[in-house]
């Protein structure tokens, strides 16, 4: 078949043939899609049901010069009844402040940075677990409903001082949640 100028024309198929997939292969495709849907559902459910948060990079600061920032005087600040914010420094082998007292039912937003090296920041029995990088202000919040002592640990090995690995085990703190009177 050719057009008016004598050039050959490609004849289009009248009807496209469906793609043949063997039943066994089709079964595994369906199973794979089903498993993927279940995993996505599990992630969405757990993130909402268990208040899983992704740490945010709130701001950047000069890690060598923290004098004009809230980290110059780290500590707990009450914003409203039951609402607090904490500015914390994670420096080699210590958290500043390393002890915080709040009443039960309080929501505390943590702002944490480091002036020296990478640290970990984990509050046991809460949803707070983040990396602390020099110059980056990381932030997460938690509500402390149950009175008690919540341990704060550094879960990232934060280095040597003068060639010695001593001291990392001393990088801990605590959050003391006091029962309301």
């Amino acid at each position: 078949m050719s057009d008016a100028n004598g050039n050959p024309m490609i004849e289009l198929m009248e009807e496209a043939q469906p793609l043949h997939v063997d039943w066994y292969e089709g079964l595994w495709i369906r199973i794979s899609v089903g498993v993927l849907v279940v995993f996505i559902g599990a992630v969405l459910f757990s993130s909402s049901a268990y208040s899983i948060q992704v740490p945010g990079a709130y701001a950047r600061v000069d890690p060598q010069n923290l004098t004009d920032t809230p980290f110059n005087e780290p500590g707990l600040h009450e914003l409203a009844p039951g609402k607090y914010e904490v500015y914390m420094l994670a420096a080699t082998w210590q958290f500043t402040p390393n002890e915080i007292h709040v009443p039960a039912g309080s929501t505390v937003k943590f702002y944490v940075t480091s002036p020296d090296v990478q640290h970990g920041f984990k509050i046991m029995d809460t949803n707070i677990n983040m990396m602390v990088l020099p110059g980056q202000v990381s932030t997460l919040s938690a509500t402390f409903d149950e009175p008690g002592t919540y341990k704060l640990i550094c879960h990232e090995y934060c280095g040597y001082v003068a060639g010695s690995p001593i001291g990392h085990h001393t990088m801990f703190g605590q959050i003391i949640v006091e029962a309301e009177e």
Side-chain angles (χ1 to χ4, degrees), residues 55-99:
Y58 175 73
R60 300 245 180 233
V61 293
D62 179 8
Q64 303 304 315
N65 185 13
L66 297 173
T67 56
D68 295 334
T69 67
F71 298 100
N72 184 35
E73 294 180 22
L76 179 71
H77 306 283
E78 184 175 16
L79 302 175
K83 302 282 183 195
Y84 296 89
E85 64 183 13
V86 176
Y87 288 91
M88 279 191 124
L89 279 176
T92 301
W93 304 338
Q94 68 179 0
F95 287 109
T96 306
N98 68 351
E99 186 172 292

Side-chain angles (χ1 to χ4, degrees), residues 30-144:
R30 288 178 184 85
I31 289 172
S32 299
V33 169
V35 167
L36 185 62
V37 167
V38 168
F39 285 164
I40 290 172
V43 167
L44 294 175
F45 172 76
S46 65
S47 66
S48 63
Y50 297 110
S51 301
I52 295 174
Q53 306 172 55
V54 177
Y58 175 73
R60 300 245 180 233
V61 293
D62 179 8
Q64 303 304 315
N65 185 13
L66 297 173
T67 56
D68 295 334
T69 67
F71 298 100
N72 184 35
E73 294 180 22
L76 179 71
H77 306 283
E78 184 175 16
L79 302 175
K83 302 282 183 195
Y84 296 89
E85 64 183 13
V86 176
Y87 288 91
M88 279 191 124
L89 279 176
T92 301
W93 304 338
Q94 68 179 0
F95 287 109
T96 306
N98 68 351
E99 186 172 292
I100 297 168
H101 294 264
V102 295
S106 297
T107 299
V108 181
K109 188 161 191 176
F110 294 89
Y111 297 91
V112 189
T113 193
S114 169
D116 49 19
V117 297
Q118 179 175 322
H119 296 278
F121 186 83
K122 167 94 174 121
I123 302 174
M124 305 305 287
D125 302 324
T126 69
N127 61 343
I128 302 289
N129 184 359
M130 62 184 162
M131 297 305 298
V132 180
L133 303 174
Q136 175 178 303
V137 180
S138 299
T139 180
L140 279 174
S141 61
T143 301
F144 297 96

Side-chain angles (χ1 to χ4, degrees), residues 102-106 144-147 177-180:
V102 295
S106 297
F144 297 96
D145 292 323
E146 297 294 321
V177 180
E178 300 162 343
E180 294 185 51

